[in-house]
């Protein structure tokens, strides 16, 4: 709970303990998880007023917080102020675009990323599925695999959802075979996605 985290932070200060970057990053993470922009902005103000050293960890946490809370302008501003931009910060901005922006803006951002990890690919694939652009999702998954990156369970759930929506039983069965041969003890959400795909097809 964000407010409980802030109360604990206040108690820590009252007892004479000073926060470090991990304390502040944890507060921002709590704000991100609850999409609490109000408290997130207060934490950011505290960072600025207290003169805390803002390193890559805090910079990424700020981008993530603003992005998840839907303030794309501030997320972009924090991102642009980062002297070193990691794949994590690029992916945080992508996730913000997929959740609160347009699919075209998200794809433009994705295409300009200098480096991508599985989270980046999954965010863009899932964005396509959620917006009903299932053929684009399947094409992107194929592109990801052609670059040597194996799909994980999150990728497979999204692909199965796409197959179910457009009735593509052929690709759905191919994914089922991949799961059987490569995924040991699949998660319940993946099994449910398989059942849903077969039912819809």
């Amino acid at each position: 709970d964000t407010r409980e985290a802030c109360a604990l932070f206040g108690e820590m200060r009252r007892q004479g303990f000073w926060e470090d970057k991990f304390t502040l990053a944890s507060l921002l993470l709590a704000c991100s998880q609850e999409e609490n922009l109000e408290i997130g902005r207060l934490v950011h103000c505290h960072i600025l007023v207290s003169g805390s050293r803002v390193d890559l960890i805090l910079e990424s946490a700020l981008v993530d917080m603003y992005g998840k809370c839907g303030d794309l302008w501030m997320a972009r501003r924090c991102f642009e102020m980062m002297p070193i931009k990691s794949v994590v910060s690029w992916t945080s901005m992508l996730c913000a675009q997929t959740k609160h922006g347009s699919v075209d803006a998200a794809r433009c951002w994705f295409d300009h990323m200098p480096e991508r990890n599985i989270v980046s690919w999954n965010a863009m694939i899932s964005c396509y599925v959620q917006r009903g652009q299932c053929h684009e999702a399947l094409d992107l998954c194929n592109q990801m695999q052609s670059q040597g990156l194996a799909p994980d369970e999150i990728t497979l759930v999204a692909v199965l959802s796409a197959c179910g929506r457009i009735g593509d039983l052929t690709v759905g069965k191919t994914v089922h075979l991949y799961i059987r041969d490569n995924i040991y003890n699949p998660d319940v959400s993946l099994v449910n996605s398989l059942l849903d795909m077969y039912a819809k097809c």
Side-chain angles (χ1 to χ4, degrees):
D1 181 87
T2 305
R3 295 192 182 278
E4 287 182 11
C6 288
L8 190 60
F9 173 69
E11 182 61 28
M12 182 185 83
R13 292 291 302 271
R14 281 190 292 275
Q15 292 188 21
F17 296 99
W18 293 94
E19 72 274 7
D20 59 13
K21 62 184 178 182
F22 299 107
T23 313
L24 296 168
S26 296
L27 281 173
L28 290 168
L29 176 61
C31 295
S32 298
Q33 290 171 340
E34 291 191 0
E35 297 184 13
N36 193 325
L37 182 59
E38 180 185 0
I39 294 181
R41 283 176 172 155
L42 290 174
V43 175
H44 190 185
C45 286
H46 173 80
I47 291 169
L48 296 173
V49 170
S50 65
S52 299
R53 181 175 170 270
V54 182
D55 63 359
L56 184 61
I57 292 172
L58 270 184
E59 289 166 341
S60 297
L62 283 166
V63 171
D64 186 61
M65 183 277 293
Y66 280 116
K68 286 181 177 170
C69 291
D71 191 339
L72 295 182
W73 187 83
M74 273 303 295
R76 182 70 178 263
R77 188 175 178 194
C78 290
F79 176 83
E80 288 174 348
M81 291 175 68
M82 296 176 70
I84 300 171
K85 298 170 177 66
S86 68
V87 66
V88 174
S89 53
W90 274 94
T91 302
S92 291
M93 279 300 305
L94 173 65
C95 290
Q97 293 280 4
T98 60
K99 186 172 183 180
H100 300 286
S102 71
V103 67
D104 290 337
R107 183 56 195 258
C108 182
W109 188 268
F110 179 83
D111 288 340
H112 284 86
M113 291 178 71
E115 180 186 357
R116 303 182 190 108
N117 58 18
I118 188 68
V119 179
S120 318
W121 287 95
N122 286 344
M124 196 63 238
I125 292 167
S126 297
C127 178
Y128 274 136
V129 175
Q130 289 160 11
R131 307 294 174 91
Q133 296 179 234
C134 297
H135 293 288
E136 288 85 347
L138 297 178
D139 288 344
L140 194 63
C141 183
N142 289 334
Q143 185 182 335
M144 179 187 83
Q145 290 176 280
S146 72
Q147 294 189 13
L149 197 58
D152 65 6
E153 292 198 25
I154 294 171
T155 322
L156 297 170
V157 166
V159 169
L160 287 169
S161 178
C163 292
R165 287 190 183 196
I166 59 176
D168 194 333
L169 185 58
T170 303
V171 174
K173 283 183 174 179
T174 302
V175 174
H176 189 179
L177 289 173
Y178 179 89
I179 293 168
R180 186 194 66 187
D181 295 341
N182 297 280
I183 307 294
Y184 174 74
N185 193 23
D187 185 83
V188 66
S189 62
L190 185 53
V191 176
N192 287 342
S193 295
L194 266 173
L195 292 170
D196 185 63
M197 182 275 296
Y198 278 119
K200 286 178 177 174
C201 289

